[in-house]
């Protein structure tokens, strides 16, 4: 079975500072990993996904994530935070097993990012 | 068109009412999902439809009844709900009903449901 742990339910950074949101996964098979962002009162938007083609994945809005198998991590980073980055971020793994899981996503608990002026 | 639409945006209903939520996508996706999301929590999967057939029901109470009339449309019928059912209900779709890096889910904006 797969699972995801996001370290830190709330992260606060200053505008222009580095953003680092942590995600660790547990999976007995090669994982399919995703980062989604949710702005207030909106649905989830895909930021980026790990496809196994490259360990460093670039997404939208300047975000990127690095897949580290040895650390079972898929942390999300952005070099310089912008006020518009304030949102809830979810790391997710796609459930894979011998049985049909229907594309089920398993989400972490989420990290709320605040950006201070 | 890479959009999933949901109506209504907001819904207030009493515990004896019957109402329906609607979700639509025109991306040709063959899997559609209903999620329930409480404040400050991740989405919880409720139902999955694969090729218009219900493939996963995550032990959801029968007061929630999903329906997939065609490959583009997904409904969630609500009846005799409880106040604890108040939440954001999200619809999503993906190209295929399977896991994988090329099978990301596209989410709608959600319906904010309040049960009085």
């Amino acid at each position: 079975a797969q699972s995801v742990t996001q370290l830190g339910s709330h992260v606060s950074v200053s505008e222009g500072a580095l953003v680092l949101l942590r995600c660790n996964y547990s999976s007995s098979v090669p994982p399919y990993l995703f980062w989604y962002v949710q702005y207030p009162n909106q649905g989830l938007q895909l930021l980026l996904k790990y496809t196994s083609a490259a360990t460093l994945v670039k997404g939208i809005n300047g975000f990127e994530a690095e897949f580290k198998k040895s650390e079972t991590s898929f942390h999300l980073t952005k070099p310089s935070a912008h006020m518009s980055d304030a949102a809830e971020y979810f790391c997710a793994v796609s459930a894979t097993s011998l049985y049909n899981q229907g594309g089920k996503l398993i989400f972490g608990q989420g990290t709320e990012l605040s950006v201070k002026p | 068109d890479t959009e999933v639409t949901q109506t209504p945006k907001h819904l207030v209903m009493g515990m004896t009412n019957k109402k329906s939520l609607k979700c639509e996508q025109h991306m040709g996706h063959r899997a559609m999902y209903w999620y329930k999301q409480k404040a400050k929590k991740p989405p919880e999967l409720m139902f999955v439809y694969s090729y218009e057939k219900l493939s996963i029901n995550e032990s959801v109470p029968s007061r929630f009844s999903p329906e997939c009339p065609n490959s583009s449309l997904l409904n969630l019928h609500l009846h005799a709900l409880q106040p604890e059912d108040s939440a954001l209900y999200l619809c999503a779709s993906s190209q295929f009903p399977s896991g994988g890096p090329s099978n990301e889910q596209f989410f709608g904006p959600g319906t904010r449901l309040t049960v009085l």
Side-chain angles (χ1 to χ4, degrees):
Chain A
Q2 289 84 16
S3 66
V4 169
T5 301
Q6 289 184 242
L7 298 174
S9 59
H10 186 248
V11 170
S12 181
V13 301
S14 298
E15 192 172 21
L18 172 71
V19 175
L20 171 60
L21 304 182
R22 300 178 187 273
C23 173
N24 288 90
Y25 69 89
S26 173
S27 179
S28 57
V29 297
Y32 302 126
L33 295 160
F34 305 84
W35 273 102
Y36 282 88
V37 60
Q38 186 175 30
Y39 299 101
N41 299 312
Q42 293 188 27
L44 277 68
Q45 181 182 7
L46 182 69
L47 273 177
L48 49 80
K49 60 184 180 181
Y50 171 63
T51 65
S52 76
T55 55
L56 184 61
V57 181
K58 294 190 184 300
I60 62 171
N61 302 338
F63 284 92
E64 61 183 36
E66 186 171 8
F67 175 74
K68 291 187 177 180
K69 184 177 178 181
S70 60
E71 298 177 10
T72 62
S73 68
F74 190 56
H75 301 333
L76 183 71
T77 61
K78 182 174 180 177
S80 176
H82 192 271
M83 297 295 289
S84 60
D85 294 326
E88 188 83 21
Y89 291 80
F90 293 100
C91 182
V93 63
S94 182
T96 55
S97 73
L98 291 174
Y99 304 97
N100 180 11
Q101 288 286 304
K104 180 176 178 177
L105 281 177
I106 298 167
F107 288 93
Q109 288 301 302
T111 298
E112 182 181 8
L113 176 66
S114 300
V115 183
K116 299 174 290 188
Chain B
D1 184 3
T2 59
E3 195 178 17
V4 176
T5 59
Q6 290 187 244
T7 54
K9 289 193 69 172
H10 301 276
L11 179 62
V12 179
M13 60 186 291
M15 289 190 284
T16 59
N17 292 157
K18 285 185 180 181
K19 296 287 184 183
S20 296
L21 310 184
K22 179 180 171 181
C23 172
E24 202 161 3
Q25 58 87 13
H26 295 286
M27 295 177 277
H29 288 175
R30 304 314 303 271
M32 297 186 77
Y33 311 79
W34 279 116
Y35 289 87
K36 172 183 177 180
Q37 186 181 27
K38 296 287 235 181
K40 303 296 184 184
K41 295 292 185 182
E44 299 172 30
L45 183 66
M46 299 174 72
F47 303 103
V48 181
Y49 271 83
S50 303
Y51 298 96
E52 299 149 56
K53 293 193 187 318
L54 183 65
S55 61
I56 294 178
N57 177 341
E58 294 283 282
S59 304
V60 179
S62 59
R63 57 185 184 269
F64 295 91
S65 176
E67 179 196 20
C68 190
N70 60 56
S71 60
S72 300
L73 194 56
L74 187 66
N75 297 321
L76 186 63
H77 303 297
L78 314 172
H79 174 55
L81 295 193
Q82 304 296 311
E84 59 264 30
D85 296 322
S86 298
L88 180 68
Y89 287 84
L90 294 164
C91 174
S93 70
S94 64
Q95 188 173 11
F96 302 112
S98 61
S102 301
N103 199 36
E104 68 261 32
Q105 293 183 24
F106 292 79
F107 284 80
T111 294
R112 177 74 61 186
L113 175 67
T114 303
V115 181
L116 301 176

